[in-house]
Amino acid sequence: VGKHPSGAELTKVKFESSPEALEAIEKLERENPGAVIVGSMIAAQALLFAAIIALGVPDPKSEPWLLAWLALLVAFASASQDIVIDAYRVECLDDRRQAAGAATAVFGWRVGQFGAAAGGLVLADLVPWEAAFLVMGGAVAVGLVAALVNPEPNVSPPPRGDSLGQVLYQAAVAPLADFAKREGWIAILA
């Protein structure tokens, strides 16, 4: 990586909330946008790890709402991880390898889904509830290690002068606005 920060360093900076930290983030995003993808991957996996382990803490009978909120947090962290992993795959693979990369990602997702469903039920039968969720949370460490040992993607930085708000608008709002202009878009959502 050379003089650029690693994804782990960028993730650490993102959790600070001072104006200087925000300035540092914008500088890092301009100088090494690949670190943003890896840092976001690490952040999503750390949140997923913590949320899965936290699922084993409340008693489902006495605290069903807390369990429901934690399950929602797991879903959010899992979806965030999927998005960032897709971004990493798209940036790292050339066009010829995109299909194989997508197939590998889907295979990994299926293995994880099977392991969490079947493995979680078997574990919950053999060990206490909390220990089963600790083991399932530990399975996220595979992705965390992969994010730390694989190279950051070579991504071109966003155009200078674009604020974070402009980049987010172009990435999130503009595509949805374009979709809403198309005939039959409400039927697609229904």
Side-chain angles (χ1 to χ4, degrees):
V1 179
K3 67 179 180 177
H4 297 295
S6 68
E9 291 168 330
L10 181 61
T11 301
K12 181 180 175 188
V13 173
K14 280 197 172 212
F15 286 108
E16 297 178 17
S17 59
S18 68
E20 295 84 17
L22 294 175
E23 238 176 74
I25 290 170
E26 288 179 5
K27 181 180 177 191
L28 291 173
E29 288 172 339
R30 281 190 307 273
E31 292 179 1
N32 190 14
V36 175
I37 294 174
V38 174
S40 298
M41 193 180 326
I42 292 168
Q45 289 170 337
L47 179 61
L48 183 60
F49 173 77
I52 289 172
I53 291 173
L55 267 177
V57 175
D59 178 24
K61 289 181 183 175
S62 63
E63 299 175 294
W65 285 107
L66 177 58
L67 193 66
W69 282 109
L70 289 170
L72 188 62
L73 182 61
V74 168
F76 172 79
S78 178
S80 299
Q81 173 184 283
D82 287 348
I83 291 166
V84 177
I85 288 172
D86 281 346
Y88 182 84
R89 175 183 48 79
V90 166
E91 294 299 337
C92 287
L93 299 177
D94 59 31
D95 289 345
R96 290 180 328 148
R97 295 190 172 126
Q98 288 295 333
T104 302
V106 169
F107 177 72
W109 181 81
R110 295 279 185 203
V111 169
Q113 180 186 28
F114 178 76
L121 288 173
V122 170
L123 274 173
D125 195 40
L126 300 174
V127 298
W129 172 266
E130 299 86 1
F133 278 100
L134 184 64
V135 170
M136 289 191 306
V140 175
V142 172
L144 193 55
V145 169
L148 292 170
V149 300
N150 282 306
E152 293 171 352
N154 186 14
V155 181
S156 57
R160 286 196 171 272
D162 283 0
S163 69
L164 181 59
Q166 290 168 322
V167 171
L168 289 176
Y169 177 82
Q170 289 299 320
V173 177
L176 292 174
D178 180 58
F179 174 71
K181 291 178 188 173
R182 298 175 188 267
E183 185 178 332
W185 71 275
I186 293 177
I188 293 171
L189 294 179

Short mmCIF file of all heavy atoms in Angstrom, two decimals, residues 4 9 25 30 39 53 75 82 86 102 108 114 128-131 133 139 155-156 159 164 185 187 189-190:
data_model
loop_
_atom_site.label_atom_id
_atom_site.label_comp_id
_atom_site.label_asym_id
_atom_site.label_seq_id
_atom_site.Cartn_x
_atom_site.Cartn_y
_atom_site.Cartn_z
N HIS A 4 -0.05 5.16 1.47
CA HIS A 4 -1.48 5.28 1.70
C HIS A 4 -1.89 4.48 2.93
O HIS A 4 -1.31 3.44 3.23
CB HIS A 4 -2.26 4.81 0.49
CG HIS A 4 -2.00 5.64 -0.73
ND1 HIS A 4 -2.35 6.97 -0.80
CD2 HIS A 4 -1.42 5.34 -1.91
CE1 HIS A 4 -2.00 7.45 -1.97
NE2 HIS A 4 -1.43 6.48 -2.67
N GLU A 9 -6.92 1.33 8.89
CA GLU A 9 -6.63 2.68 9.37
C GLU A 9 -7.76 3.64 8.99
O GLU A 9 -8.16 4.49 9.78
CB GLU A 9 -5.31 3.19 8.80
CG GLU A 9 -4.10 2.46 9.35
CD GLU A 9 -2.83 2.76 8.56
OE1 GLU A 9 -2.93 3.01 7.34
OE2 GLU A 9 -1.77 2.74 9.18
N ILE A 25 -10.80 12.16 6.29
CA ILE A 25 -11.52 11.16 5.50
C ILE A 25 -11.62 11.61 4.05
O ILE A 25 -11.37 10.84 3.12
CB ILE A 25 -12.92 10.89 6.10
CG1 ILE A 25 -12.79 10.16 7.42
CG2 ILE A 25 -13.78 10.09 5.13
CD1 ILE A 25 -14.07 10.06 8.20
N ARG A 30 -9.86 10.97 -1.56
CA ARG A 30 -9.29 11.49 -2.81
C ARG A 30 -8.00 10.76 -3.16
O ARG A 30 -7.75 10.42 -4.31
CB ARG A 30 -9.01 12.99 -2.67
CG ARG A 30 -10.24 13.85 -2.81
CD ARG A 30 -9.86 15.32 -2.92
NE ARG A 30 -9.00 15.81 -1.87
CZ ARG A 30 -9.41 16.29 -0.70
NH1 ARG A 30 -10.68 16.33 -0.41
NH2 ARG A 30 -8.54 16.71 0.20
N GLY A 39 -12.13 -0.33 3.98
CA GLY A 39 -12.52 0.18 5.30
C GLY A 39 -13.99 -0.03 5.56
O GLY A 39 -14.39 -0.42 6.67
N ILE A 53 -23.18 -11.79 17.75
CA ILE A 53 -22.87 -12.19 19.12
C ILE A 53 -23.90 -11.62 20.10
O ILE A 53 -24.34 -12.30 21.02
CB ILE A 53 -21.43 -11.77 19.50
CG1 ILE A 53 -20.44 -12.63 18.68
CG2 ILE A 53 -21.18 -11.93 20.98
CD1 ILE A 53 -19.01 -12.21 18.81
N ALA A 75 -29.48 -7.93 9.99
CA ALA A 75 -29.91 -7.82 8.59
C ALA A 75 -29.27 -6.61 7.92
O ALA A 75 -28.80 -6.69 6.79
CB ALA A 75 -31.43 -7.75 8.51
N ASP A 82 -22.78 -7.23 2.07
CA ASP A 82 -23.00 -7.73 0.70
C ASP A 82 -22.73 -6.64 -0.33
O ASP A 82 -22.10 -6.88 -1.36
CB ASP A 82 -24.43 -8.25 0.53
CG ASP A 82 -24.66 -9.57 1.23
OD1 ASP A 82 -23.67 -10.20 1.65
OD2 ASP A 82 -25.82 -9.97 1.37
N ASP A 86 -19.70 -6.72 -3.05
CA ASP A 86 -19.96 -6.59 -4.48
C ASP A 86 -19.14 -5.46 -5.09
O ASP A 86 -18.60 -5.59 -6.19
CB ASP A 86 -21.45 -6.35 -4.74
CG ASP A 86 -22.27 -7.63 -4.67
OD1 ASP A 86 -21.68 -8.72 -4.69
OD2 ASP A 86 -23.51 -7.53 -4.60
N ALA A 102 -19.07 -13.17 -9.48
CA ALA A 102 -20.44 -13.15 -8.94
C ALA A 102 -20.87 -14.55 -8.51
O ALA A 102 -21.49 -14.71 -7.45
CB ALA A 102 -21.40 -12.58 -9.98
N GLY A 108 -20.42 -18.51 -1.91
CA GLY A 108 -20.02 -18.20 -0.54
C GLY A 108 -21.20 -17.81 0.33
O GLY A 108 -21.30 -18.21 1.49
N PHE A 114 -26.25 -21.77 4.69
CA PHE A 114 -26.42 -23.15 5.17
C PHE A 114 -25.73 -23.34 6.52
O PHE A 114 -26.28 -23.93 7.44
CB PHE A 114 -25.86 -24.15 4.14
CG PHE A 114 -25.95 -25.57 4.59
CD1 PHE A 114 -27.16 -26.24 4.57
CD2 PHE A 114 -24.82 -26.24 5.05
CE1 PHE A 114 -27.25 -27.56 4.99
CE2 PHE A 114 -24.90 -27.56 5.47
CZ PHE A 114 -26.12 -28.22 5.45
N PRO A 128 -24.81 -23.99 24.96
CA PRO A 128 -25.77 -22.93 25.31
C PRO A 128 -25.99 -21.94 24.17
O PRO A 128 -25.14 -21.75 23.30
CB PRO A 128 -25.11 -22.22 26.50
CG PRO A 128 -24.13 -23.21 27.04
CD PRO A 128 -23.69 -24.05 25.88
N TRP A 129 -27.15 -21.32 24.20
CA TRP A 129 -27.59 -20.34 23.20
C TRP A 129 -26.51 -19.30 22.93
O TRP A 129 -26.19 -19.00 21.79
CB TRP A 129 -28.86 -19.71 23.76
CG TRP A 129 -29.45 -18.54 23.06
CD1 TRP A 129 -29.23 -17.23 23.35
CD2 TRP A 129 -30.39 -18.56 22.00
NE1 TRP A 129 -29.99 -16.43 22.54
CE2 TRP A 129 -30.72 -17.23 21.70
CE3 TRP A 129 -31.00 -19.56 21.27
CZ2 TRP A 129 -31.60 -16.88 20.70
CZ3 TRP A 129 -31.90 -19.21 20.29
CH2 TRP A 129 -32.19 -17.89 20.01
N GLU A 130 -25.93 -18.74 24.00
CA GLU A 130 -24.92 -17.70 23.86
C GLU A 130 -23.69 -18.21 23.11
O GLU A 130 -23.12 -17.51 22.28
CB GLU A 130 -24.49 -17.17 25.23
CG GLU A 130 -25.59 -16.53 26.03
CD GLU A 130 -26.39 -17.54 26.85
OE1 GLU A 130 -26.09 -18.76 26.82
OE2 GLU A 130 -27.35 -17.10 27.51
N ALA A 131 -23.27 -19.42 23.42
CA ALA A 131 -22.09 -20.00 22.78
C ALA A 131 -22.33 -20.25 21.29
O ALA A 131 -21.44 -20.05 20.46
CB ALA A 131 -21.68 -21.30 23.48
N PHE A 133 -24.23 -18.49 19.29
CA PHE A 133 -24.12 -17.21 18.58
C PHE A 133 -22.68 -16.69 18.58
O PHE A 133 -22.27 -16.02 17.64
CB PHE A 133 -25.08 -16.17 19.17
CG PHE A 133 -26.47 -16.33 18.64
CD1 PHE A 133 -27.45 -16.97 19.38
CD2 PHE A 133 -26.80 -15.85 17.38
CE1 PHE A 133 -28.72 -17.13 18.87
CE2 PHE A 133 -28.07 -16.01 16.87
CZ PHE A 133 -29.04 -16.66 17.62
N ALA A 139 -17.59 -16.90 12.80
CA ALA A 139 -17.48 -17.27 11.39
C ALA A 139 -17.30 -16.03 10.50
O ALA A 139 -16.74 -16.12 9.41
CB ALA A 139 -18.71 -18.06 10.95
N VAL A 155 -8.92 2.05 -7.55
CA VAL A 155 -10.11 2.80 -7.92
C VAL A 155 -9.72 4.23 -8.22
O VAL A 155 -8.91 4.82 -7.52
CB VAL A 155 -11.13 2.78 -6.75
CG1 VAL A 155 -12.38 3.53 -7.11
CG2 VAL A 155 -11.44 1.37 -6.35
N SER A 156 -10.29 4.78 -9.28
CA SER A 156 -10.00 6.19 -9.57
C SER A 156 -10.79 7.06 -8.60
O SER A 156 -11.94 6.76 -8.29
CB SER A 156 -10.35 6.53 -11.01
OG SER A 156 -11.70 6.24 -11.25
N PRO A 159 -14.17 12.96 -8.91
CA PRO A 159 -13.67 14.24 -9.42
C PRO A 159 -13.47 15.25 -8.30
O PRO A 159 -14.27 15.32 -7.38
CB PRO A 159 -14.78 14.70 -10.38
CG PRO A 159 -15.61 13.52 -10.64
CD PRO A 159 -15.43 12.58 -9.50
N LEU A 164 -18.99 15.43 -0.50
CA LEU A 164 -19.52 14.12 -0.14
C LEU A 164 -21.01 14.08 -0.46
O LEU A 164 -21.52 13.08 -0.95
CB LEU A 164 -19.26 13.82 1.33
CG LEU A 164 -19.74 12.47 1.85
CD1 LEU A 164 -19.09 11.34 1.07
CD2 LEU A 164 -19.44 12.33 3.32
N TRP A 185 -43.05 2.16 -13.07
CA TRP A 185 -42.13 1.95 -11.94
C TRP A 185 -42.86 1.56 -10.66
O TRP A 185 -42.34 0.78 -9.87
CB TRP A 185 -41.23 3.17 -11.73
CG TRP A 185 -41.94 4.37 -11.18
CD1 TRP A 185 -42.62 5.32 -11.87
CD2 TRP A 185 -41.98 4.77 -9.82
NE1 TRP A 185 -43.10 6.28 -11.03
CE2 TRP A 185 -42.73 5.97 -9.76
CE3 TRP A 185 -41.50 4.23 -8.63
CZ2 TRP A 185 -43.00 6.62 -8.57
CZ3 TRP A 185 -41.75 4.89 -7.44
CH2 TRP A 185 -42.50 6.06 -7.42
N ALA A 187 -45.58 -0.29 -10.46
CA ALA A 187 -45.93 -1.69 -10.60
C ALA A 187 -44.74 -2.59 -10.28
O ALA A 187 -44.91 -3.68 -9.71
CB ALA A 187 -46.45 -1.96 -12.01
N LEU A 189 -42.40 -1.98 -8.12
CA LEU A 189 -42.23 -2.00 -6.66
C LEU A 189 -43.30 -2.82 -5.96
O LEU A 189 -43.08 -3.34 -4.87
CB LEU A 189 -42.20 -0.58 -6.11
CG LEU A 189 -41.03 0.28 -6.52
CD1 LEU A 189 -41.16 1.67 -5.92
CD2 LEU A 189 -39.71 -0.35 -6.09
N ALA A 190 -44.47 -2.91 -6.57
CA ALA A 190 -45.58 -3.63 -5.94
C ALA A 190 -45.39 -5.09 -6.04
O ALA A 190 -44.92 -5.91 -5.66
CB ALA A 190 -46.90 -3.28 -6.62
#
